[in-house]
Amino acid sequence: MASDCIIEIEGLHTHFGSTVIHENISLNVYKGEILSLVGGSGSGKTTLLRQMLGLETPAQGSVKIFGYSRYDCDFDLLKSLRNRSGVLFQQGALFSALTVFDNIALPMRELHCLDEEMIRDLVMLKLDMVEVAAQHANKMPAELSGGMIKRVALARALALDPELLFLDEPTAGLDPALSESFVELIQALRQELTLTIVMVTHDLDTLAAISTRIAVLADQRLVALGKLADIIKIDHPFIKDFFLGKRGQNALGKLLTHS
Amino acid sequence: MSPSNLNDDASPWYQVITGQDGPCIRLTGSYTLSALDRQLRKVAAKLARFAAQSDLYWDLTGIQQMDHAGAVLIWRAWGRRRPAHLLIRPEQERLFMHLEKAHPAPKPVRRDILWPILTLGRRYFLFWDHLLGIITLSGLVLLNVFYLLKHPRQIPLREISANLFRTGAQALGITALVGFLIGIVLSYLTSEQLHTFGADVFIVNILGMSIIRELGPMLAAILVAGRSGSSMTAQLGVMRVTEELDALTVMGIPHSLRLVLPKIIGLGLAMPLVVLWTSAIALLGGILAADLQIGLNFQYALSSLPDAVPVANLWIGLGKGVVCGMMIALIACHFGLRIKPNTESLGEGTTNSVVTSITAVILIDAVFAVVFSNVGLKIPR
């Protein structure tokens, strides 16, 4: 259904110099799902994510977000599209000159329709959601630990209650307990808000726990797209290595014995 | 008060109806940030008016979609507590539970009343801190020089040559342009004055003396401080941000030996050459302008230059170049190594580095002027 399609990618080609990254990739993301992008290093996952965000332009093909093409819409439309999506960058990308509070308040203040008291309540609510204690609100990002930076960055990505959330390696650099609570956090958020999530990850546990569909990038193409249970049945060297290696077997143990 | 007394008991956001148990407000529509947008304040004000009625039943089950902003809006309209009669869906219940236990924002730290004095004091100590830091760094570099004299195979020749190229060869264009223009301006302004007194020939003395002794070295030093000093500070600063400095340390490669020393030696070698080049181009510009303005013979100007300007002035100019170059590199490295891993500090460090090195360059010039006041000047007594 076209109306349920949040992101439409069609016939996407990308190359850096003479290196071909993507060759004819077509992909749809539907409302309310969590789509995980998987692929070996250098397979262009992050590039694809950046193209969805409009940070890079593909050589050929189109990327549509909420039904509008990324590359030919006017300033106001682009701004409202950007306000409807949030991004969690791999390193957090918090503004190092601003406190935690101001980092999260920044996108709200940019709207110019919320008063300062409402912003304060909203920021504290977001911090509470990502389980960051109130006393950290006045700290600078340089004083935070890696896990804390991820959480604050997620709070900032959620600042405007986006319908669409991009996560670039959300659990990379977190310890298992933190990764676990991060996954729970995402699940809790999905229950409260209608969220569509596009996620790039290497973490098999996260992948198995929250993704509804998985897109596998290898050999410059989209080699598989579907539910985890279907993906692992596909005979492709990358999929075999990635999901059915020793670590994959540990993470997906239950699923593998069923199939 | 019956609900019909309110003139606006129906809107896209709510309906006020009379139920079996009394007046009931039924919220409708999407309470999301994107849907509320411009009407947010109006809706908030209206809801707050309704919340003042204590016997009102609140029915939130009619809301299609509610996000955090919508929940906060309703919560604030209620005065941060639940109304007595409330009907909500479980997922809304969860949102309000979050709001109930959310902590109030901590107050931002207030400024001390004594802040002018505190800032002044901090500045004072910071000055001594920087001075001590620069002296320590120069001491470290000196120790490295002794070490390298004993182990000449470890001299970082590649780095020195790279610095020589970046700070010297690549600066030739801009220094030539500025030098040439300043030479023209100086000559243009003075030659007319001299012409009115019939002292045309002294243009060579004025140009030679001022450019070789003073303007050439100063122009070159200030340009290099802005150009190379800032890039050195920024380079070291980014290396700190990306943890490259720490990587060098754990490999057992001291910063002072591999990063600071080659910069100081490189700029110390490059600066006198840049000074020579700037002075030469500025003189050329000055003589050309004088040629056009008052018809000064080019040949005559060149041949009378050695008589007008004692050669000691050239050495003083080149000496200033060496000292200024090493000082600029030292200051740039000092500020670069002190940068903390955040963007604010990077900008501040670069600014401080350039401002300090330009100040230092002018101080060095003053010291040279005092120390060599009897050298190279032909003062008739």
Side-chain angles (χ1 to χ4, degrees):
Chain A
M1 246 184 359
S3 61
D4 272 2
C5 216
I6 302 277
I7 304 178
E8 294 165 73
I9 301 174
E10 252 184 53
L12 186 97
H13 286 257
T14 315
H15 50 80
F16 292 138
S18 59
T19 326
V20 178
I21 310 288
H22 302 133
E23 226 175 279
N24 197 15
I25 287 184
S26 298
L27 178 66
N28 286 346
V29 181
Y30 299 100
K31 195 171 181 173
E33 74 171 346
I34 299 186
L35 180 84
S36 299
L37 284 174
V38 172
S41 44
S43 61
K45 306 176 296 280
T46 304
T47 310
L48 188 61
L49 195 75
R50 288 174 66 84
Q51 285 166 346
M52 290 186 205
L53 294 172
L55 294 172
E56 273 170 37
T57 313
Q60 214 182 315
S62 72
V63 179
K64 282 187 180 175
I65 302 261
F66 301 114
Y68 301 100
S69 171
R70 267 287 189 207
Y71 313 112
D72 45 46
C73 47
D74 60 40
F75 182 76
D76 285 336
L77 184 61
L78 197 66
K79 200 166 172 191
S80 77
L81 286 186
R82 291 216 187 276
N83 286 345
R84 285 168 73 183
S85 58
V87 190
L88 170 64
F89 289 96
Q90 194 171 351
Q91 310 293 340
L94 294 180
F95 302 115
S96 55
L98 301 179
T99 60
V100 166
F101 183 94
D102 290 331
N103 258 291
I104 303 171
L106 180 85
M108 301 177 191
R109 287 184 180 141
E110 282 302 299
L111 282 183
H112 301 294
C113 71
L114 297 171
D115 56 32
E116 201 53 33
E117 270 193 37
M118 178 133 182
I119 289 177
R120 204 180 315 142
D121 281 355
L122 270 172
V123 170
M124 294 324 283
L125 177 65
K126 304 286 174 192
L127 280 179
D128 186 63
M129 298 238 43
V130 295
E131 291 165 16
V132 172
Q135 79 250 26
H136 300 304
N138 280 334
K139 284 192 179 165
M140 301 304 278
E143 301 167 54
L144 301 178
S145 67
M148 201 87 103
I149 286 177
K150 276 264 158 84
R151 283 155 179 274
V152 174
L154 180 68
R156 190 181 69 180
L158 293 169
L160 298 181
D161 297 308
E163 300 155 56
L164 176 60
L165 190 61
F166 295 96
L167 309 175
D168 191 1
E169 300 273 3
T171 52
L174 298 185
D175 67 44
L178 271 178
S179 302
E180 186 66 38
S181 66
F182 199 90
V183 168
E184 280 165 15
L185 182 65
I186 297 280
Q187 279 167 335
L189 283 174
R190 276 194 73 205
Q191 285 174 353
E192 285 168 29
L193 314 164
T194 328
L195 267 178
T196 309
I197 298 178
V198 177
M199 171 169 76
V200 168
T201 188
H202 278 128
D203 182 3
L204 280 163
D205 294 306
T206 314
L207 200 70
I210 54 175
S211 44
T212 38
R213 280 198 310 157
I214 296 173
V216 184
L217 285 172
D219 314 330
Q220 292 92 44
R221 281 167 219 281
L222 192 66
V223 291
L225 176 66
K227 292 205 168 70
L228 182 59
D230 303 327
I231 294 266
I232 53 178
K233 287 181 197 145
I234 295 174
D235 187 29
H236 185 278
F238 174 76
I239 294 175
K240 283 246 173 321
D241 285 349
F242 191 86
F243 293 100
L244 308 180
K246 212 165 214 153
R247 316 185 91 216
Q249 282 177 6
N250 285 341
L252 312 175
K254 216 190 269 174
L255 206 65
L256 291 177
T257 46
H258 276 294
S259 59
Chain B
M1 181 168 76
S2 86
S4 53
N5 286 0
L6 289 160
N7 51 7
D8 40 15
D9 51 2
S11 96
W13 305 105
Y14 55 83
Q15 286 170 330
V16 180
I17 45 174
T18 318
Q20 306 131 350
D21 312 316
C24 172
I25 179 165
R26 199 176 145 75
L27 302 187
T28 51
S30 290
Y31 276 74
T32 60
L33 194 55
S34 48
L36 287 162
D37 198 25
R38 301 272 157 227
Q39 310 209 30
L40 196 130
R41 280 176 207 199
K42 238 171 28 195
V43 175
K46 291 231 179 92
L47 288 184
R49 283 227 315 269
F50 283 112
Q53 297 174 259
S54 57
D55 59 338
L56 198 64
Y57 277 79
W58 287 80
D59 180 2
L60 269 56
T61 53
I63 294 177
Q64 288 166 2
Q65 222 180 0
M66 183 167 74
D67 63 8
H68 290 162
V72 169
L73 178 111
I74 296 169
W75 183 250
R76 285 169 52 82
W78 287 343
R80 294 168 193 281
R81 58 193 165 76
R82 287 171 192 245
H85 315 287
L86 179 62
L87 191 63
I88 52 177
R89 291 205 298 260
E91 69 266 24
Q92 296 168 343
E93 170 73 31
R94 221 174 289 130
L95 267 178
F96 286 112
M97 259 168 49
H98 266 297
L99 275 170
E100 262 171 359
K101 66 181 169 77
H103 302 275
K107 291 261 179 333
V109 188
R110 287 277 301 276
R111 242 187 192 176
D112 205 314
I113 317 164
L114 293 172
W115 69 268
I117 299 165
L118 288 176
T119 315
L120 202 68
R122 239 176 253 135
R123 283 281 165 86
Y124 174 78
F125 284 113
L126 194 66
F127 172 75
W128 287 112
D129 194 29
H130 278 300
L131 198 67
L132 202 68
I134 290 176
I135 293 170
T136 314
L137 189 63
S138 51
L140 268 177
V141 172
L142 201 65
L143 288 179
N144 284 326
V145 170
F146 290 140
Y147 174 80
L148 287 180
L149 286 178
K150 268 188 256 165
H151 306 85
R153 281 163 55 91
Q154 292 193 28
I155 295 176
L157 286 175
R158 265 171 178 282
E159 284 89 342
I160 292 175
S161 109
N163 276 301
L164 199 56
F165 175 70
R166 260 200 304 266
T167 56
Q170 291 187 338
L172 292 184
I174 182 71
T175 48
L177 180 70
V178 174
F180 190 73
L181 293 177
I182 293 284
I184 287 178
V185 170
L186 189 68
S187 169
Y188 187 80
L189 290 177
T190 47
S191 59
E192 274 301 306
Q193 305 292 323
L194 289 173
H195 191 61
T196 47
F197 295 108
D200 293 11
V201 289
F202 284 105
I203 187 75
V204 180
N205 295 52
I206 290 185
L207 282 181
M209 211 55 193
S210 61
I211 288 176
I212 293 173
R213 190 181 171 108
E214 204 50 55
L215 281 177
M218 278 304 96
L219 278 180
I222 289 172
L223 282 175
V224 165
R227 191 185 165 279
S228 308
S230 60
S231 91
M232 284 176 183
T233 308
Q235 186 202 357
L236 290 180
V238 173
M239 284 179 85
R240 164 79 70 212
V241 174
T242 54
E243 296 185 320
E244 287 170 57
L245 288 182
D246 300 336
L248 274 178
T249 307
V250 296
M251 285 178 199
I253 302 171
H255 304 155
S256 55
L257 191 128
R258 198 54 73 84
L259 294 172
V260 180
L261 182 77
K263 288 187 170 56
I264 292 179
I265 294 181
L267 203 53
L269 288 176
M271 264 304 282
L273 302 176
V274 175
V275 166
L276 195 65
W277 164 260
T278 313
S279 302
I281 300 281
L283 269 180
L284 182 75
I287 294 173
L288 272 181
D291 193 358
L292 294 174
Q293 186 77 8
I294 53 172
L296 182 81
N297 189 314
F298 198 81
Q299 294 274 304
Y300 167 77
L302 280 190
S303 61
S304 65
L305 194 61
D307 296 329
V309 186
V311 76
N313 288 298
L314 182 65
W315 297 123
I316 290 175
L318 295 184
K320 274 185 201 172
V322 176
V323 176
C324 288
M326 292 171 89
M327 200 63 197
I328 290 168
L330 186 68
I331 290 172
C333 291
H334 165 74
F335 280 99
L337 289 174
R338 280 172 73 104
I339 283 172
K340 293 186 191 70
N342 65 64
T343 47
E344 190 104 318
S345 168
L346 187 63
E348 198 185 87
T350 314
T351 309
N352 282 343
S353 156
V354 173
V355 170
T356 313
S357 45
I358 289 179
T359 315
V361 159
I362 289 169
L363 278 178
I364 289 169
D365 187 46
V367 170
F368 265 79
V370 172
V371 172
F372 295 104
S373 56
N374 293 327
V375 182
L377 295 174
K378 285 189 294 190
I379 304 166
R381 292 183 193 270

